[in-house]
Amino acid sequence: LEAWLAPTLRSVINATGVIIHTNLGRAPLSDAAVEAIQATSQRYNTLEYNLPRGARGKRDQHAEHLLTLLTGAEAAMVVNNNAAAVLLALTALARRKQVIISRSQLIEIGGGFRIPDVMKQSGAKLVEVGTTNRTHLRDFEDAIEDRTALIMRAHHSNFKILGYTTEPSLAELVELGQKHAVPVLDDLGSGALIDTAQFGLGHEPTVQESLHLNTPVVAFSGDKLLGGPQAGILVGRADLIKRLKRHPLARALRPDKLCLAALSATLGHYLKGEALEKVPIWQMIAQPLAEIKAAANQWVTELRAAGIKAEVVDGRSTVGGGSLPGTSMPTR
């Protein structure tokens, strides 16, 4: 009986040195996000009800307003993870049509999610251009034809290609797309809203940077560098986001009330300029080394008092979550 009822989803101490650890639940939530989940789960709520109008509403409204304020996008929507966001965008915008992508971006992320496989599932036709290490803008332009529905850019979020390499920039792809009336889908993955370079890390492309280039559709995660619950977020042009919302697949991929409550609370931290103080992953990334050392010393003191040998040693931490490959931060 004890074995039957013992929880398999348990709290653990993350001693791996990886902040956003996929196997350990990715981003821990802020206090405000947890409180929002509790309040929403224990009471009736306005999930699909518009109080000012006194009529049925849509669940998109809860996070969309915050996302457009934060990013400057015309419109936004939330699904249950970023893989779903990419699948929905490809299905709704490019089914039975062509999507052009560089060979160097035919990526696989954790859990066996592969861009070619999801593109096949969406019904879109994959058009690879360039080579593994070098792809030029002319390769994309030469591949554009009447059946071309999208140009896709998949961010190298969990690996690097070094040496004799080249790829068109996102700005170049967007300009090319505008020239030929072909929208660009930018799969950012990690969902950074804050520049990681200020903490001694490499620069992770932010959602705002992508939208500043007038990228038509940007997809990213809610539970990686955003620091919220598992979610996939799509932002961009209002006409394209509207097509995504109307697609039948959107209902199958929609988030529940608990996800929306936690995501809205997390986005609120960014709007109020308190993400570094309130969002746990950013607290850890931004924590001064002296504070980490003091905490480690305290552990040593307590362990030694219990008769356990312990010492503080130098180490390196990584951000994880499929972001900033090859970069790390000093730790103790």
Side-chain angles (χ1 to χ4, degrees), residues 79-103:
V79 291
N80 55 17
N81 60 32
N82 190 52
V86 174
L87 175 63
L88 176 61
L90 291 172
T91 305
L93 302 178
R95 184 170 180 80
R96 297 192 180 93
K97 295 183 179 180
Q98 297 178 346
V99 179
I100 307 173
I101 187 171
S102 170
R103 279 194 175 89

Side-chain angles (χ1 to χ4, degrees), residues 10-18 21 24 299:
R10 301 170 56 191
S11 296
V12 294
I13 293 172
N14 179 3
T16 64
V18 181
H21 200 301
L24 300 181
W299 273 100

Side-chain angles (χ1 to χ4, degrees), residues 110-178:
F113 174 83
R114 292 179 168 185
I115 289 292
D117 292 343
V118 76
M119 203 171 291
K120 181 179 180 181
Q121 189 64 38
S122 73
K125 177 178 171 52
L126 170 66
V127 178
E128 306 173 32
V129 296
T131 63
T132 302
N133 61 318
R134 292 180 68 81
T135 303
H136 303 278
L137 187 65
R138 64 176 180 271
D139 295 323
F140 282 88
E141 186 154 28
D142 291 345
I144 294 175
E145 56 181 65
D146 292 342
R147 294 184 61 230
T148 302
L150 283 175
I151 294 172
M152 183 172 176
R153 197 283 290 261
H155 172 48
H156 295 173
S157 60
N158 60 356
F159 70 99
K160 284 185 176 181
I161 301 178
L162 303 174
Y164 187 56
T165 65
T166 188
E167 271 184 354
S169 67
L170 179 61
E172 290 175 316
L173 292 178
V174 171
E175 185 177 353
L176 178 66
Q178 291 171 342

Side-chain angles (χ1 to χ4, degrees), residues 247-263:
H247 194 276
L249 191 57
R251 181 175 178 85
L253 303 176
R254 69 183 184 178
D256 75 337
K257 60 187 178 184
L258 305 185
C259 168
L260 291 171
L263 180 60

Side-chain angles (χ1 to χ4, degrees), residues 85-329:
V86 174
L87 175 63
L88 176 61
L90 291 172
T91 305
L93 302 178
R95 184 170 180 80
R96 297 192 180 93
K97 295 183 179 180
Q98 297 178 346
V99 179
I100 307 173
I101 187 171
S102 170
R103 279 194 175 89
S104 60
Q105 295 173 10
L106 296 178
I107 61 174
E108 176 181 332
I109 62 173
F113 174 83
R114 292 179 168 185
I115 289 292
D117 292 343
V118 76
M119 203 171 291
K120 181 179 180 181
Q121 189 64 38
S122 73
K125 177 178 171 52
L126 170 66
V127 178
E128 306 173 32
V129 296
T131 63
T132 302
N133 61 318
R134 292 180 68 81
T135 303
H136 303 278
L137 187 65
R138 64 176 180 271
D139 295 323
F140 282 88
E141 186 154 28
D142 291 345
I144 294 175
E145 56 181 65
D146 292 342
R147 294 184 61 230
T148 302
L150 283 175
I151 294 172
M152 183 172 176
R153 197 283 290 261
H155 172 48
H156 295 173
S157 60
N158 60 356
F159 70 99
K160 284 185 176 181
I161 301 178
L162 303 174
Y164 187 56
T165 65
T166 188
E167 271 184 354
S169 67
L170 179 61
E172 290 175 316
L173 292 178
V174 171
E175 185 177 353
L176 178 66
Q178 291 171 342
K179 177 182 175 182
H180 293 275
V182 178
V184 173
L185 167 63
D186 187 18
D187 177 13
L188 269 183
S190 61
L193 295 177
I194 295 176
D195 185 7
T196 52
Q198 61 182 299
F199 305 108
L201 296 163
H203 174 68
E204 186 76 3
T206 66
V207 177
Q208 298 94 317
E209 289 170 348
S210 186
L211 289 170
H212 183 70
L213 298 173
N214 295 317
T215 307
V217 182
V218 182
F220 55 98
S221 293
D223 55 342
K224 292 184 178 179
L225 280 173
L226 187 68
Q230 176 181 301
I233 301 170
L234 291 148
V235 295
R237 266 173 38 192
D239 61 320
L240 297 178
I241 299 297
K242 186 176 182 179
R243 287 173 61 183
L244 303 186
K245 289 179 179 179
R246 287 182 170 179
H247 194 276
L249 191 57
R251 181 175 178 85
L253 303 176
R254 69 183 184 178
D256 75 337
K257 60 187 178 184
L258 305 185
C259 168
L260 291 171
L263 180 60
S264 297
T266 304
L267 294 172
H269 293 313
Y270 288 91
L271 273 177
K272 292 183 279 188
E274 60 184 24
L276 297 183
E277 295 79 32
K278 301 288 187 178
V279 178
I281 62 160
W282 287 109
Q283 287 177 324
M284 289 183 266
I285 291 173
Q287 188 177 21
L289 192 59
E291 289 185 11
I292 299 174
K293 183 178 180 180
N297 285 331
Q298 182 63 33
W299 273 100
V300 166
T301 299
E302 296 191 21
L303 290 169
R304 286 176 177 173
I308 300 171
K309 292 182 179 180
E311 63 177 325
V312 177
V313 298
D314 293 343
R316 306 291 298 183
S317 287
T318 58
V319 174
S323 59
L324 297 164
T327 62
S328 61
M329 301 173 288

